[in-house]
PDB file of all heavy atoms in Angstrom:
ATOM      1  N   ILE T 984     140.260 137.656  99.479  1.00  0.00           N
ATOM      2  CA  ILE T 984     140.675 137.899 100.864  1.00  0.00           C
ATOM      3  C   ILE T 984     142.028 138.583 100.820  1.00  0.00           C
ATOM      4  O   ILE T 984     143.054 137.954 100.597  1.00  0.00           O
ATOM      5  CB  ILE T 984     140.747 136.590 101.671  1.00  0.00           C
ATOM      6  CG1 ILE T 984     139.446 135.802 101.539  1.00  0.00           C
ATOM      7  CG2 ILE T 984     141.050 136.884 103.135  1.00  0.00           C
ATOM      8  CD1 ILE T 984     139.474 134.435 102.208  1.00  0.00           C
ATOM      9  N   ASN T 985     142.046 139.899 101.023  1.00  0.00           N
ATOM     10  CA  ASN T 985     143.276 140.680 100.935  1.00  0.00           C
ATOM     11  C   ASN T 985     143.681 141.235 102.294  1.00  0.00           C
ATOM     12  O   ASN T 985     144.414 142.219 102.386  1.00  0.00           O
ATOM     13  CB  ASN T 985     143.121 141.808  99.919  1.00  0.00           C
ATOM     14  CG  ASN T 985     141.893 142.666 100.194  1.00  0.00           C
ATOM     15  OD1 ASN T 985     141.227 142.494 101.223  1.00  0.00           O
ATOM     16  ND2 ASN T 985     141.587 143.563  99.292  1.00  0.00           N
ATOM     17  N   LYS T 986     143.176 140.595 103.353  1.00  0.00           N
ATOM     18  CA  LYS T 986     143.564 140.935 104.722  1.00  0.00           C
ATOM     19  C   LYS T 986     143.987 139.651 105.435  1.00  0.00           C
ATOM     20  O   LYS T 986     143.654 138.552 104.991  1.00  0.00           O
ATOM     21  CB  LYS T 986     142.387 141.570 105.472  1.00  0.00           C
ATOM     22  CG  LYS T 986     141.866 142.870 104.875  1.00  0.00           C
ATOM     23  CD  LYS T 986     140.656 143.379 105.646  1.00  0.00           C
ATOM     24  CE  LYS T 986     140.107 144.655 105.043  1.00  0.00           C
ATOM     25  NZ  LYS T 986     138.897 145.147 105.771  1.00  0.00           N
ATOM     26  N   ASP T 987     144.697 139.801 106.534  1.00  0.00           N
ATOM     27  CA  ASP T 987     145.120 138.643 107.318  1.00  0.00           C
ATOM     28  C   ASP T 987     143.954 138.197 108.200  1.00  0.00           C
ATOM     29  O   ASP T 987     143.726 138.769 109.267  1.00  0.00           O
ATOM     30  CB  ASP T 987     146.338 138.998 108.178  1.00  0.00           C
ATOM     31  CG  ASP T 987     147.549 139.397 107.346  1.00  0.00           C
ATOM     32  OD1 ASP T 987     147.528 139.161 106.125  1.00  0.00           O
ATOM     33  OD2 ASP T 987     148.498 139.945 107.921  1.00  0.00           O
ATOM     34  N   LEU T 988     143.226 137.183 107.735  1.00  0.00           N
ATOM     35  CA  LEU T 988     141.978 136.790 108.393  1.00  0.00           C
ATOM     36  C   LEU T 988     141.880 135.278 108.530  1.00  0.00           C
ATOM     37  O   LEU T 988     142.543 134.523 107.809  1.00  0.00           O
ATOM     38  CB  LEU T 988     140.767 137.281 107.579  1.00  0.00           C
ATOM     39  CG  LEU T 988     140.608 138.787 107.381  1.00  0.00           C
ATOM     40  CD1 LEU T 988     139.470 139.072 106.400  1.00  0.00           C
ATOM     41  CD2 LEU T 988     140.355 139.498 108.707  1.00  0.00           C
ATOM     42  N   THR T 989     140.993 134.851 109.426  1.00  0.00           N
ATOM     43  CA  THR T 989     140.576 133.460 109.528  1.00  0.00           C
ATOM     44  C   THR T 989     139.105 133.362 109.197  1.00  0.00           C
ATOM     45  O   THR T 989     138.292 134.115 109.741  1.00  0.00           O
ATOM     46  CB  THR T 989     140.807 132.904 110.958  1.00  0.00           C
ATOM     47  OG1 THR T 989     142.216 132.879 111.226  1.00  0.00           O
ATOM     48  CG2 THR T 989     140.257 131.506 111.103  1.00  0.00           C
ATOM     49  N   LEU T 990     138.744 132.471 108.276  1.00  0.00           N
ATOM     50  CA  LEU T 990     137.344 132.154 107.983  1.00  0.00           C
ATOM     51  C   LEU T 990     137.075 130.778 108.560  1.00  0.00           C
ATOM     52  O   LEU T 990     137.667 129.784 108.116  1.00  0.00           O
ATOM     53  CB  LEU T 990     137.070 132.177 106.478  1.00  0.00           C
ATOM     54  CG  LEU T 990     136.712 133.536 105.856  1.00  0.00           C
ATOM     55  CD1 LEU T 990     137.862 134.521 106.014  1.00  0.00           C
ATOM     56  CD2 LEU T 990     136.334 133.373 104.389  1.00  0.00           C
ATOM     57  N   LYS T 991     136.192 130.721 109.553  1.00  0.00           N
ATOM     58  CA  LYS T 991     136.001 129.491 110.320  1.00  0.00           C
ATOM     59  C   LYS T 991     134.537 129.095 110.369  1.00  0.00           C
ATOM     60  O   LYS T 991     133.679 129.886 110.742  1.00  0.00           O
ATOM     61  CB  LYS T 991     136.535 129.684 111.744  1.00  0.00           C
ATOM     62  CG  LYS T 991     136.494 128.444 112.604  1.00  0.00           C
ATOM     63  CD  LYS T 991     137.128 128.728 113.964  1.00  0.00           C
ATOM     64  CE  LYS T 991     137.144 127.492 114.845  1.00  0.00           C
ATOM     65  NZ  LYS T 991     137.786 127.771 116.158  1.00  0.00           N
ATOM     66  N   GLY T 992     134.253 127.861 109.963  1.00  0.00           N
ATOM     67  CA  GLY T 992     132.900 127.327 110.067  1.00  0.00           C
ATOM     68  C   GLY T 992     132.811 126.320 111.205  1.00  0.00           C
ATOM     69  O   GLY T 992     133.785 126.075 111.925  1.00  0.00           O
ATOM     70  N   SER T 993     131.628 125.716 111.340  1.00  0.00           N
ATOM     71  CA  SER T 993     131.432 124.701 112.379  1.00  0.00           C
ATOM     72  C   SER T 993     131.816 123.315 111.881  1.00  0.00           C
ATOM     73  O   SER T 993     132.301 122.476 112.650  1.00  0.00           O
ATOM     74  CB  SER T 993     129.977 124.696 112.834  1.00  0.00           C
ATOM     75  OG  SER T 993     129.126 124.336 111.741  1.00  0.00           O
ATOM     76  N   ASP T 994     131.592 123.090 110.559  1.00  0.00           N
ATOM     77  CA  ASP T 994     131.799 121.774 109.974  1.00  0.00           C
ATOM     78  C   ASP T 994     131.800 121.941 108.456  1.00  0.00           C
ATOM     79  O   ASP T 994     130.950 122.661 107.924  1.00  0.00           O
ATOM     80  CB  ASP T 994     130.670 120.821 110.397  1.00  0.00           C
ATOM     81  CG  ASP T 994     130.887 119.403 109.934  1.00  0.00           C
ATOM     82  OD1 ASP T 994     130.770 119.156 108.713  1.00  0.00           O
ATOM     83  OD2 ASP T 994     131.163 118.533 110.769  1.00  0.00           O
ATOM     84  N   PRO T 995     132.725 121.310 107.737  1.00  0.00           N
ATOM     85  CA  PRO T 995     132.775 121.522 106.280  1.00  0.00           C
ATOM     86  C   PRO T 995     131.541 121.014 105.536  1.00  0.00           C
ATOM     87  O   PRO T 995     131.309 121.418 104.403  1.00  0.00           O
ATOM     88  CB  PRO T 995     134.042 120.765 105.855  1.00  0.00           C
ATOM     89  CG  PRO T 995     134.307 119.807 106.947  1.00  0.00           C
ATOM     90  CD  PRO T 995     133.822 120.449 108.205  1.00  0.00           C
ATOM     91  N   THR T 996     130.772 120.127 106.147  1.00  0.00           N
ATOM     92  CA  THR T 996     129.535 119.665 105.498  1.00  0.00           C
ATOM     93  C   THR T 996     128.383 120.644 105.717  1.00  0.00           C
ATOM     94  O   THR T 996     127.350 120.530 105.073  1.00  0.00           O
ATOM     95  CB  THR T 996     129.121 118.276 106.022  1.00  0.00           C
ATOM     96  OG1 THR T 996     128.782 118.371 107.418  1.00  0.00           O
ATOM     97  CG2 THR T 996     130.236 117.268 105.832  1.00  0.00           C
ATOM     98  N   LYS T 997     128.577 121.598 106.618  1.00  0.00           N
ATOM     99  CA  LYS T 997     127.512 122.545 106.961  1.00  0.00           C
ATOM    100  C   LYS T 997     127.773 123.965 106.501  1.00  0.00           C
ATOM    101  O   LYS T 997     126.858 124.786 106.441  1.00  0.00           O
ATOM    102  CB  LYS T 997     127.282 122.535 108.479  1.00  0.00           C
ATOM    103  CG  LYS T 997     126.806 121.205 109.027  1.00  0.00           C
ATOM    104  CD  LYS T 997     126.648 121.267 110.535  1.00  0.00           C
ATOM    105  CE  LYS T 997     126.174 119.924 111.104  1.00  0.00           C
ATOM    106  NZ  LYS T 997     126.048 119.976 112.589  1.00  0.00           N
ATOM    107  N   VAL T 998     129.025 124.272 106.194  1.00  0.00           N
ATOM    108  CA  VAL T 998     129.385 125.625 105.755  1.00  0.00           C
ATOM    109  C   VAL T 998     130.041 125.507 104.377  1.00  0.00           C
ATOM    110  O   VAL T 998     131.140 124.959 104.247  1.00  0.00           O
ATOM    111  CB  VAL T 998     130.351 126.297 106.751  1.00  0.00           C
ATOM    112  CG1 VAL T 998     130.730 127.692 106.256  1.00  0.00           C
ATOM    113  CG2 VAL T 998     129.708 126.383 108.131  1.00  0.00           C
ATOM    114  N   ILE T 999     129.348 126.001 103.361  1.00  0.00           N
ATOM    115  CA  ILE T 999     129.784 125.818 101.973  1.00  0.00           C
ATOM    116  C   ILE T 999     129.922 127.179 101.294  1.00  0.00           C
ATOM    117  O   ILE T 999     128.980 127.988 101.303  1.00  0.00           O
ATOM    118  CB  ILE T 999     128.791 124.938 101.187  1.00  0.00           C
ATOM    119  CG1 ILE T 999     128.693 123.553 101.849  1.00  0.00           C
ATOM    120  CG2 ILE T 999     129.226 124.815  99.726  1.00  0.00           C
ATOM    121  CD1 ILE T 999     127.587 122.693 101.292  1.00  0.00           C
ATOM    122  N   ILE T1000     131.083 127.419 100.712  1.00  0.00           N
ATOM    123  CA  ILE T1000     131.311 128.596  99.893  1.00  0.00           C
ATOM    124  C   ILE T1000     131.238 128.157  98.442  1.00  0.00           C
ATOM    125  O   ILE T1000     132.083 127.393  97.977  1.00  0.00           O
ATOM    126  CB  ILE T1000     132.679 129.234 100.198  1.00  0.00           C
ATOM    127  CG1 ILE T1000     132.751 129.676 101.665  1.00  0.00           C
ATOM    128  CG2 ILE T1000     132.948 130.420  99.265  1.00  0.00           C
ATOM    129  CD1 ILE T1000     134.135 130.102 102.110  1.00  0.00           C
ATOM    130  N   GLU T1001     130.205 128.608  97.736  1.00  0.00           N
ATOM    131  CA  GLU T1001     130.058 128.268  96.315  1.00  0.00           C
ATOM    132  C   GLU T1001     130.687 129.376  95.487  1.00  0.00           C
ATOM    133  O   GLU T1001     130.038 130.354  95.134  1.00  0.00           O
ATOM    134  CB  GLU T1001     128.579 128.073  95.963  1.00  0.00           C
ATOM    135  CG  GLU T1001     127.998 126.765  96.456  1.00  0.00           C
ATOM    136  CD  GLU T1001     126.662 126.438  95.815  1.00  0.00           C
ATOM    137  OE1 GLU T1001     126.095 127.323  95.134  1.00  0.00           O
ATOM    138  OE2 GLU T1001     126.180 125.309  95.989  1.00  0.00           O
ATOM    139  N   GLY T1002     131.954 129.202  95.175  1.00  0.00           N
ATOM    140  CA  GLY T1002     132.681 130.197  94.402  1.00  0.00           C
ATOM    141  C   GLY T1002     134.166 130.039  94.629  1.00  0.00           C
ATOM    142  O   GLY T1002     134.601 129.258  95.492  1.00  0.00           O
ATOM    143  N   GLY T1003     134.944 130.763  93.864  1.00  0.00           N
ATOM    144  CA  GLY T1003     136.383 130.709  94.014  1.00  0.00           C
ATOM    145  C   GLY T1003     136.858 131.650  95.103  1.00  0.00           C
ATOM    146  O   GLY T1003     136.209 132.656  95.413  1.00  0.00           O
ATOM    147  N   VAL T1004     138.007 131.333  95.695  1.00  0.00           N
ATOM    148  CA  VAL T1004     138.586 132.152  96.747  1.00  0.00           C
ATOM    149  C   VAL T1004     139.991 132.567  96.337  1.00  0.00           C
ATOM    150  O   VAL T1004     140.851 131.702  96.109  1.00  0.00           O
ATOM    151  CB  VAL T1004     138.637 131.385  98.093  1.00  0.00           C
ATOM    152  CG1 VAL T1004     139.265 132.263  99.171  1.00  0.00           C
ATOM    153  CG2 VAL T1004     137.242 130.934  98.523  1.00  0.00           C
ATOM    154  N   THR T1005     140.229 133.870  96.214  1.00  0.00           N
ATOM    155  CA  THR T1005     141.550 134.397  95.910  1.00  0.00           C
ATOM    156  C   THR T1005     142.142 134.986  97.179  1.00  0.00           C
ATOM    157  O   THR T1005     141.518 135.814  97.835  1.00  0.00           O
ATOM    158  CB  THR T1005     141.478 135.475  94.818  1.00  0.00           C
ATOM    159  OG1 THR T1005     140.936 134.900  93.626  1.00  0.00           O
ATOM    160  CG2 THR T1005     142.860 136.036  94.510  1.00  0.00           C
ATOM    161  N   ILE T1006     143.356 134.555  97.510  1.00  0.00           N
ATOM    162  CA  ILE T1006     143.980 134.930  98.780  1.00  0.00           C
ATOM    163  C   ILE T1006     145.243 135.734  98.522  1.00  0.00           C
ATOM    164  O   ILE T1006     146.112 135.313  97.767  1.00  0.00           O
ATOM    165  CB  ILE T1006     144.327 133.671  99.602  1.00  0.00           C
ATOM    166  CG1 ILE T1006     143.044 132.946 100.025  1.00  0.00           C
ATOM    167  CG2 ILE T1006     145.186 134.015 100.810  1.00  0.00           C
ATOM    168  CD1 ILE T1006     143.290 131.591 100.672  1.00  0.00           C
ATOM    169  N   SER T1007     145.347 136.895  99.163  1.00  0.00           N
ATOM    170  CA  SER T1007     146.581 137.680  99.078  1.00  0.00           C
ATOM    171  C   SER T1007     146.957 138.205 100.451  1.00  0.00           C
ATOM    172  O   SER T1007     147.443 139.322 100.598  1.00  0.00           O
ATOM    173  CB  SER T1007     146.424 138.826  98.081  1.00  0.00           C
ATOM    174  OG  SER T1007     145.352 139.663  98.449  1.00  0.00           O
ATOM    175  N   GLY T1008     146.715 137.400 101.473  1.00  0.00           N
ATOM    176  CA  GLY T1008     147.100 137.751 102.836  1.00  0.00           C
ATOM    177  C   GLY T1008     147.492 136.492 103.578  1.00  0.00           C
ATOM    178  O   GLY T1008     147.563 135.411 103.014  1.00  0.00           O
ATOM    179  N   ASN T1009     147.768 136.639 104.869  1.00  0.00           N
ATOM    180  CA  ASN T1009     147.973 135.487 105.743  1.00  0.00           C
ATOM    181  C   ASN T1009     146.597 135.009 106.170  1.00  0.00           C
ATOM    182  O   ASN T1009     145.923 135.683 106.970  1.00  0.00           O
ATOM    183  CB  ASN T1009     148.816 135.875 106.951  1.00  0.00           C
ATOM    184  CG  ASN T1009     150.208 136.310 106.560  1.00  0.00           C
ATOM    185  OD1 ASN T1009     150.933 135.583 105.900  1.00  0.00           O
ATOM    186  ND2 ASN T1009     150.598 137.514 106.946  1.00  0.00           N
ATOM    187  N   VAL T1010     146.175 133.885 105.645  1.00  0.00           N
ATOM    188  CA  VAL T1010     144.757 133.479 105.762  1.00  0.00           C
ATOM    189  C   VAL T1010     144.660 132.035 106.235  1.00  0.00           C
ATOM    190  O   VAL T1010     145.452 131.179 105.842  1.00  0.00           O
ATOM    191  CB  VAL T1010     144.046 133.644 104.398  1.00  0.00           C
ATOM    192  CG1 VAL T1010     142.651 133.020 104.432  1.00  0.00           C
ATOM    193  CG2 VAL T1010     143.955 135.118 104.026  1.00  0.00           C
ATOM    194  N   THR T1011     143.648 131.792 107.086  1.00  0.00           N
ATOM    195  CA  THR T1011     143.293 130.437 107.483  1.00  0.00           C
ATOM    196  C   THR T1011     141.855 130.153 107.075  1.00  0.00           C
ATOM    197  O   THR T1011     140.952 130.950 107.365  1.00  0.00           O
ATOM    198  CB  THR T1011     143.421 130.250 109.006  1.00  0.00           C
ATOM    199  OG1 THR T1011     144.802 130.363 109.380  1.00  0.00           O
ATOM    200  CG2 THR T1011     142.922 128.880 109.441  1.00  0.00           C
ATOM    201  N   LEU T1012     141.652 129.053 106.359  1.00  0.00           N
ATOM    202  CA  LEU T1012     140.308 128.527 106.091  1.00  0.00           C
ATOM    203  C   LEU T1012     140.156 127.286 106.956  1.00  0.00           C
ATOM    204  O   LEU T1012     140.972 126.363 106.884  1.00  0.00           O
ATOM    205  CB  LEU T1012     140.135 128.164 104.622  1.00  0.00           C
ATOM    206  CG  LEU T1012     140.298 129.279 103.582  1.00  0.00           C
ATOM    207  CD1 LEU T1012     140.105 128.716 102.176  1.00  0.00           C
ATOM    208  CD2 LEU T1012     139.333 130.422 103.837  1.00  0.00           C
ATOM    209  N   GLU T1013     139.095 127.251 107.770  1.00  0.00           N
ATOM    210  CA  GLU T1013     138.933 126.144 108.714  1.00  0.00           C
ATOM    211  C   GLU T1013     137.480 125.689 108.749  1.00  0.00           C
ATOM    212  O   GLU T1013     136.563 126.505 108.872  1.00  0.00           O
ATOM    213  CB  GLU T1013     139.384 126.583 110.109  1.00  0.00           C
ATOM    214  CG  GLU T1013     139.333 125.487 111.157  1.00  0.00           C
ATOM    215  CD  GLU T1013     139.904 125.921 112.490  1.00  0.00           C
ATOM    216  OE1 GLU T1013     140.479 127.024 112.578  1.00  0.00           O
ATOM    217  OE2 GLU T1013     139.777 125.152 113.460  1.00  0.00           O
ATOM    218  N   ASN T1014     137.276 124.392 108.626  1.00  0.00           N
ATOM    219  CA  ASN T1014     135.934 123.783 108.750  1.00  0.00           C
ATOM    220  C   ASN T1014     134.957 124.311 107.704  1.00  0.00           C
ATOM    221  O   ASN T1014     133.791 124.579 108.015  1.00  0.00           O
ATOM    222  CB  ASN T1014     135.353 124.021 110.156  1.00  0.00           C
ATOM    223  CG  ASN T1014     136.203 123.445 111.263  1.00  0.00           C
ATOM    224  OD1 ASN T1014     136.945 122.489 111.045  1.00  0.00           O
ATOM    225  ND2 ASN T1014     136.111 124.026 112.440  1.00  0.00           N
ATOM    226  N   VAL T1015     135.411 124.486 106.453  1.00  0.00           N
ATOM    227  CA  VAL T1015     134.521 124.938 105.388  1.00  0.00           C
ATOM    228  C   VAL T1015     134.732 124.092 104.138  1.00  0.00           C
ATOM    229  O   VAL T1015     135.770 123.434 103.977  1.00  0.00           O
ATOM    230  CB  VAL T1015     134.743 126.438 105.045  1.00  0.00           C
ATOM    231  CG1 VAL T1015     134.523 127.316 106.251  1.00  0.00           C
ATOM    232  CG2 VAL T1015     136.129 126.666 104.455  1.00  0.00           C
ATOM    233  N   THR T1016     133.743 124.124 103.249  1.00  0.00           N
ATOM    234  CA  THR T1016     133.872 123.557 101.908  1.00  0.00           C
ATOM    235  C   THR T1016     133.911 124.694 100.906  1.00  0.00           C
ATOM    236  O   THR T1016     133.111 125.631 100.985  1.00  0.00           O
ATOM    237  CB  THR T1016     132.695 122.625 101.584  1.00  0.00           C
ATOM    238  OG1 THR T1016     132.820 121.424 102.354  1.00  0.00           O
ATOM    239  CG2 THR T1016     132.670 122.244 100.110  1.00  0.00           C
ATOM    240  N   VAL T1017     134.872 124.635  99.979  1.00  0.00           N
ATOM    241  CA  VAL T1017     134.914 125.558  98.841  1.00  0.00           C
ATOM    242  C   VAL T1017     134.595 124.727  97.614  1.00  0.00           C
ATOM    243  O   VAL T1017     135.316 123.787  97.275  1.00  0.00           O
ATOM    244  CB  VAL T1017     136.287 126.233  98.704  1.00  0.00           C
ATOM    245  CG1 VAL T1017     136.303 127.141  97.485  1.00  0.00           C
ATOM    246  CG2 VAL T1017     136.619 127.016  99.967  1.00  0.00           C
ATOM    247  N   GLU T1018     133.507 125.068  96.940  1.00  0.00           N
ATOM    248  CA  GLU T1018     133.016 124.238  95.840  1.00  0.00           C
ATOM    249  C   GLU T1018     132.508 125.124  94.713  1.00  0.00           C
ATOM    250  O   GLU T1018     131.756 126.069  94.942  1.00  0.00           O
ATOM    251  CB  GLU T1018     131.880 123.343  96.348  1.00  0.00           C
ATOM    252  CG  GLU T1018     131.334 122.373  95.333  1.00  0.00           C
ATOM    253  CD  GLU T1018     130.265 121.480  95.945  1.00  0.00           C
ATOM    254  OE1 GLU T1018     129.158 121.995  96.211  1.00  0.00           O
ATOM    255  OE2 GLU T1018     130.527 120.292  96.149  1.00  0.00           O
ATOM    256  N   ALA T1019     132.942 124.828  93.485  1.00  0.00           N
ATOM    257  CA  ALA T1019     132.490 125.602  92.344  1.00  0.00           C
ATOM    258  C   ALA T1019     132.765 124.842  91.062  1.00  0.00           C
ATOM    259  O   ALA T1019     133.677 124.014  90.999  1.00  0.00           O
ATOM    260  CB  ALA T1019     133.179 126.961  92.297  1.00  0.00           C
ATOM    261  N   ALA T1020     131.983 125.122  90.035  1.00  0.00           N
ATOM    262  CA  ALA T1020     132.216 124.545  88.712  1.00  0.00           C
ATOM    263  C   ALA T1020     132.924 125.598  87.858  1.00  0.00           C
ATOM    264  O   ALA T1020     132.376 126.147  86.910  1.00  0.00           O
ATOM    265  CB  ALA T1020     130.897 124.133  88.071  1.00  0.00           C
TER     266      ALA T1020
END
């Protein structure tokens, strides 16, 4: 995420990002799960 953005889900149990997140902007993560091995 290299832009100033908000990523917003409805509920962290319902919106899952399977992978890593690299941030280089002004960013909000809201109501999500970030999960990866």
Side-chain angles (χ1 to χ4, degrees):
I984 308 175
N985 53 7
K986 299 177 181 179
D987 298 347
L988 298 173
T989 295
L990 274 62
K991 185 176 182 179
S993 63
D994 185 289
T996 65
K997 297 178 180 179
V998 179
I999 299 171
I1000 299 170
E1001 285 194 349
V1004 179
T1005 300
I1006 294 172
S1007 58
N1009 297 304
V1010 171
T1011 294
L1012 300 180
E1013 183 175 352
N1014 300 334
V1015 301
T1016 288
V1017 178
E1018 183 177 72

